[in-house]
Amino acid sequence: MVSLRFLLCFLLVSSSYATIISHDGRAITIDGHRRVFLSGSIHYPRSTPEMWPDLIKKGKEGGLDAIETYPTRRQYDFSGKLDLIRFLKTIQDEGLYGVLRIGPYACAEWNYGGFPMWLHNMPGMVFRTTNKSFMVILLVDMQNFTTMIVDMVKKENLFASQGGPIILAQIENEYGNVMETYGESGKAYIKWCANMAQSLDVGLNTCNGFYCDNFVPNNPNTPKMWTENWTGLLNNKDVAFSVARFFQRGGNFNNYYMYDGGTNFDRTAGGPYITTSYDYDDPLDEYGNLNQQKYGHLKQLHDVLHSMEKTLTYGNISTIDFGNSASATIYKTEEGSSCFFGNGNETSDATISFQGKSYVVPAWSVSILPDCKNEAYNTAKITTQTSMMVKKPNKAEDSPSTLKWSWRPENMDNFLLKGKGESTKRQLFDQKVVSNDRSDYLCYMTTIKFKKRDPIFGKSMYLRVNSTAHVLYDFVNGQHIVNTLRNGNFHYVFEKDVKFKSGRNVISLLCITVGLVNYGAFLENKAAGITGPISIIERNRDETIVKDLSAHKWSYKTGLNGFEHQLFRTKSMSKWSVESATFKAPFGNNPVVVDLLGLGKGTAWVNGNNIGRYLAVIHFKYHVPRSFLNAEGDNTLVLFEEMGGNPSLVSFQTTRVGSVCANVYEKNIIELSCGMKPISAIKFASFGNPDGNCGTFEK
C-alpha cells in the first residue's frame, strides 16, 4: 500500500549557525553531506512532558536520527502536555532532528482525523477537495494555524535554518488512498497542496505502508522516503526485513509509525472504538518501556546502516539476481563496498555464492555485510533479549488491598422524565451537528400522547430506531428499557417492545459516540447518532400501524451534568454521580496502571486528570502517568460507569521487566538486562536447540 504525501524542507538561511537542508536523487543532505535518516514518531500529546526526555533519549539510544510529531490540530492551546515548543526543545537537547506534520488532515487515529468539528457544520462542506467552502476555510484557518506554528518555532530558533532541529515539515497526509474517490476535485486539491509545498521550498512525494521497497519517487531528483513504516502491525523479523530491503533498494529516509504510541487521554481517540492505549507493539511500549525484542533488534540494524552511511549514499549500485527471489545489491565506492543479500522466498533458505564464498540467507530475510565479506546482521536472526513484562500490585504504605468506594447516581430526571433539553427542532439531527463534539453524550427526547381509543395504542407496541450510535440507551417514561452496544456494524435498526401508557409519554434516547471516524473519503458524510426514522409500531392481528416520529418535536441535551460542571474534581466529589476512591501512589519509578477489571464502559480520572475512555470488556489496564499522582498523601480515582460494573476488583499496579530470555547465534555476543533491577538468577541455559519459547524453555 502506497500513499502520496507532500513534505516541505525549510531552508531559510538566516543565522551564522544555520544548518543547510537539501536533497538530491540519492539522499537528504545536511550542510552538503548525504545522510541516512532513521526517524521515529512520538506524538507529544499522547504522553506527558515529564516522560518526553526519557522517550526521546531511548529513541536516540535506539539509533534514531530524528523524531516526528504532529502539532495538536486546531487547538490553540500549547500548555502542559500540548507544549509543542518544550517538546521540540527536548528533541534538540538530545541532539536529534525534528519532523513536523502540519496537516490540515492528520488521521493519526485522532478524533475526526484532527479536523475541528465546526468545519463539519459549515454549509456545503466537502473535506479535502477544492470545494469552495473547504478552500475558503483552508486558506484562512490553515494559514492562521500554520503561521502560528511557524512563528512560535522561529521565535525559539528551532528551524534548522536557525541552527535548530526541525529539518522537514509536511502538508496533507495519506491522500493517495482516497484521491481517486474524490475524482477531479481530489486531483486539483492535491495539486494545490503540492504547489503550496513548492511555494515554501520543495515538495517531495513519499511512501507509507507495510513495505515501501518498490516505491519510486515521481521525480528522479528526490530521494526515496518512507514516512510511515507501520511497525506495530508486523512482527520483529518482518519490520527489520522491511527496513533492510528498503535500504537495499535505495531507500534513504525511514520513519517508524509509531516508535512510541502512548495514550489517548481524554476524548482524543478517533473511532469508532479506537482504544485509549495507542500501543501497537511499537519499539517503546505505551508506558515508555523498551519493547524487547523489537527495540534491540532494530537498534542493531540502525547501527549497521549508519556504519555504511557513506557507501549507501555515494556508492555505485549494482544488483545480481540469483533467481528464486534471491538477490545481492552491492554499493561500491573507491574506499570499499557494502552488500545486501536478500531472500524474498517465504519458505526456503537461499545459498548465495559471492566472490568465492557461500552465504546462507534464511527465508524471508536480508543479510547485511558492511565489507561485502562478513555478515554483520540478518533480519531473521534475533540476537537481543526478550523481556517478559509483569504487573505488580501496589505496595504503597497503608494502601488497602481493596479500595473503599463512594457512589452517587447521575440525576437524569430533567431529560428522562421531563424531556427538557437545550434546543428543540422538528427533525432528527446528526449528533455532530447538535453537540459540536463537546461531549460523547447526546440525548434525543420527545413527548407523545396516546388516547385509549387511539388506533395505535394497544398491547403489542414496539419502538423502532434507525441508528448509527456506538452505544444507545433507551428510556420510556424514565424507565430504562434496553441498551445497545455496537462493535461492528454501526448502521443498524433497533427494535424493542414497549408498554406505553394512556396520556403523556416521554421517549429519551441517550446516544453515545466512542470517538468519531478518523479515516476515509468524505468524512463529513459519516453519520453519528440517530439518523432515523424513529417509529412506534402496533401489530394487531394482521394489521400493522406505524407512527413515524422523525418529524416530531425533538429536544436535545448535550453532555451529562457531572461532565459539564467538572464534578470529577476532588472538591466537588460529593455532588456527582460517580464511583470514587482514594489510594496511595505506588512506590518507586516504574510506570503505573489502573486495572479496571469488573467494570463496563465509562471515563476515568486521577486527581482530576482524564486518563481516557475505558471499555473494560475489551481492555482493562489503563496508563496513569506518574506526573498525575501525588507522591505523598492521598490520590483520588473517579469513575463514571455507564453499565453498572463492580469496582471491587479495581486495583493499581506497576509494570516492569519480570524476566528475560534470549537465543544467541555463534560468534555473537548478547547483553541481558532487567532494566534498573539486578539479575537475581539464571533459571535456564542450554546449548543446541531447546524446546519451547521464552519463559517455557525445556531441554
Side-chain angles (χ1 to χ4, degrees), residues 103 109 127 187 213 237 272 321 341 348 350-351 367 385 488 533 561 589 641 651 657 683:
E109 287 66 56
F127 293 170
K187 294 177 183 177
D213 47 285
K237 295 179 181 180
D321 187 350
F341 295 161
S348 301
T351 300
S367 292
Q385 73 180 43
N561 293 329
N589 297 314
E641 170 59 42
S651 64
V657 178
K683 294 185 177 181

Side-chain angles (χ1 to χ4, degrees), residues 58-130:
K58 287 173 178 173
K60 181 178 181 179
E61 291 172 348
L64 297 187
D65 304 290
I67 300 295
E68 175 271 346
T69 199
Y70 287 103
T72 306
R73 296 296 305 142
R74 297 305 182 262
Q75 295 179 32
Y76 292 83
D77 177 7
F78 299 97
S79 61
K81 67 177 184 292
L82 305 181
D83 191 340
L84 171 64
I85 297 303
R86 180 174 173 180
F87 183 75
L88 295 175
K89 286 183 175 180
T90 308
I91 293 172
Q92 184 177 37
D93 289 344
E94 279 296 336
L96 296 180
Y97 294 107
V99 178
L100 273 180
R101 301 168 77 175
I102 298 174
Y105 170 71
C107 186
E109 287 66 56
W110 275 351
N111 194 47
Y112 217 38
F115 281 130
M117 188 51 59
W118 58 262
L119 195 62
H120 167 270
N121 294 334
M122 298 292 292
M125 179 61 66
V126 182
F127 293 170
R128 306 176 76 192
T129 65
T130 51

